[in-house]
Amino acid sequence: MRKLLIIILFLLFVSNRTSILASGIEAINIWTNTIFPLLFPTFILSDLLIASGIVNTITKYLGKIYSKIFKLTPYGMYIFLISLISGTPTNAKNLSILKNKGYINDDELTRILCTCIFFNPLLIISMSNIKILLILWISNILAGIIMNLGNTYKPINVELIKADFSLSSSIENNINILLNILGTIALFLMLANILPIKNIFLKVLLSGIFEVTNGLNKVNLFFKGIWIYDYLIILILSLGGLSIFIQIKSILKDTSLNTKYFLISRLLCANIGFIILTCISLLA
């Protein structure tokens, strides 16, 4: 079955040269105009923040709040706050730093990540509206609480995070991550564009499942002004897309990310988002 699938994909790639080239150019445009300008300075800044000791301050004064809500280590508060501002995969990068330095374990890494799969708020507002942004924040928080109901957390003595900062090393490491993101976006854009699907709804949905930005563009193109518009946006952003998942897996390649737990949390987040949106629609 796998061999047959590979042969089919190979034939689709070979027979759709025009779509492949267009998808590659589109991926470069997305990366150049959106991804790189947003993520590169954020990655550098996050390295600097960890080295500066501000993570220790946030953990000391706000970490207990995070621990009571999610039953997780106080270090998760910093990841949560940086995710609200910068989105994914910035949170994965910072989780990787904390894990490599021994401040969290693999289980904590997965659980913290699933409380804060956010996207850059400027991106969401520019491609939808502030209502969607707030629904996504709330649904992620509620999903995180539900996913950790059975978790047994024991309060710990928080250690001071010590980290050195080298601008050259930070630039080199973050450029490698961003190039990996470019390759991932290009691959999934190509897959979305070469699959022989004629139905517009399925085409748009599949595009969003593969790659978020492409999916949002297509939702705005074909469904804006229709009642299903908000539901599609919430579904695409809640699931996060295969492209984002592969980016996260790549950044966290030296950890044991629990894929099943992650996927369940994304489905739960989408369903909570649907319920909130429906309640708002009925009350409007």
Side-chain angles (χ1 to χ4, degrees):
M1 185 65 182
R2 179 184 293 182
K3 292 180 180 179
L4 178 61
L5 180 60
I6 292 173
I7 292 172
I8 292 173
L9 286 175
F10 176 77
L11 292 173
L12 285 172
F13 270 83
V14 171
S15 60
N16 289 274
R17 182 174 177 275
T18 302
S19 294
I20 294 297
L21 290 174
S23 299
I25 293 171
E26 183 181 359
I28 291 173
N29 287 334
I30 292 173
W31 188 83
T32 303
N33 298 323
T34 304
I35 304 298
F36 186 85
L38 286 176
L39 290 188
F40 182 65
T42 303
F43 281 174
I44 299 294
L45 181 60
S46 65
D47 288 344
L48 185 59
L49 287 175
I50 288 180
S52 71
I54 195 170
V55 180
N56 297 319
T57 304
I58 292 174
T59 302
K60 179 179 179 181
Y61 292 103
L62 298 177
K64 291 181 180 179
I65 299 174
Y66 181 88
S67 295
K68 287 183 179 179
I69 294 173
F70 295 108
K71 298 182 180 180
L72 293 170
T73 173
Y75 293 117
M77 189 66 196
Y78 169 72
I79 305 298
F80 184 85
L81 291 177
I82 203 72
S83 299
L84 284 176
I85 300 169
S86 307
T88 305
T90 306
N91 48 9
K93 181 182 180 299
N94 284 275
L95 279 168
S96 176
I97 294 172
L98 294 183
K99 171 62 171 59
N100 290 336
K101 291 185 177 297
Y103 294 103
I104 59 175
N105 58 38
D106 284 328
D107 180 65
E108 290 171 330
L109 181 148
T110 300
R111 290 178 181 275
I112 293 170
L113 177 67
C114 292
T115 66
C116 54
I117 298 295
F118 303 123
F119 291 86
N120 189 289
L122 296 177
L123 176 65
I124 295 178
I125 293 174
S126 67
M127 303 193 78
S128 57
N129 52 64
I130 194 168
K131 177 181 72 175
I132 296 295
L133 175 65
L134 294 175
I135 290 175
L136 287 168
W137 281 355
I138 294 170
S139 59
N140 266 280
I141 291 171
L142 292 177
I145 292 172
I146 293 171
M147 292 294 293
N148 288 296
L149 284 177
N151 192 38
T152 54
Y153 168 73
K154 295 181 179 179
I156 62 172
N157 293 321
V158 177
E159 300 178 27
L160 295 179
I161 297 176
K162 299 177 181 179
D164 297 323
F165 177 78
S166 167
L167 182 59
S168 59
S169 296
S170 181
I171 290 173
E172 181 180 355
N173 293 335
N174 290 316
I175 285 294
N176 288 333
I177 292 174
L178 287 164
L179 288 174
N180 184 285
I181 290 173
L182 171 60
T184 306
I185 292 173
L187 175 62
F188 283 104
L189 276 177
M190 291 172 186
L191 286 173
N193 289 332
I194 66 173
L195 291 179
I197 298 174
K198 301 298 182 183
N199 184 279
I200 293 297
F201 177 79
L202 291 178
K203 187 77 172 178
V204 170
L205 184 60
L206 191 61
S207 295
I209 290 174
F210 279 157
E211 205 284 314
V212 168
T213 308
N214 185 40
L216 294 181
N217 283 330
K218 283 184 167 55
V219 172
N220 278 290
L221 180 62
F222 294 107
F223 294 100
K224 196 161 189 177
I226 304 175
W227 68 271
I228 202 173
Y229 171 83
D230 286 344
Y231 287 94
L232 283 173
I233 294 287
I234 286 176
L235 178 62
I236 290 171
L237 289 170
S238 295
L239 296 180
L242 287 172
S243 177
I244 286 291
F245 179 69
I246 296 300
Q247 291 169 31
I248 291 172
K249 287 282 287 184
S250 176
I251 293 170
L252 300 175
K253 60 182 181 296
D254 296 325
T255 69
S256 299
L257 178 66
N258 188 327
T259 300
K260 182 179 179 181
Y261 184 96
F262 180 87
L263 294 177
I264 291 173
S265 76
R266 295 302 87 219
L267 291 171
L268 179 60
C269 179
N271 280 282
I272 293 173
F274 289 162
I275 293 171
I276 295 173
L277 178 59
T278 302
C279 291
I280 293 173
S281 301
L282 291 174
L283 294 173

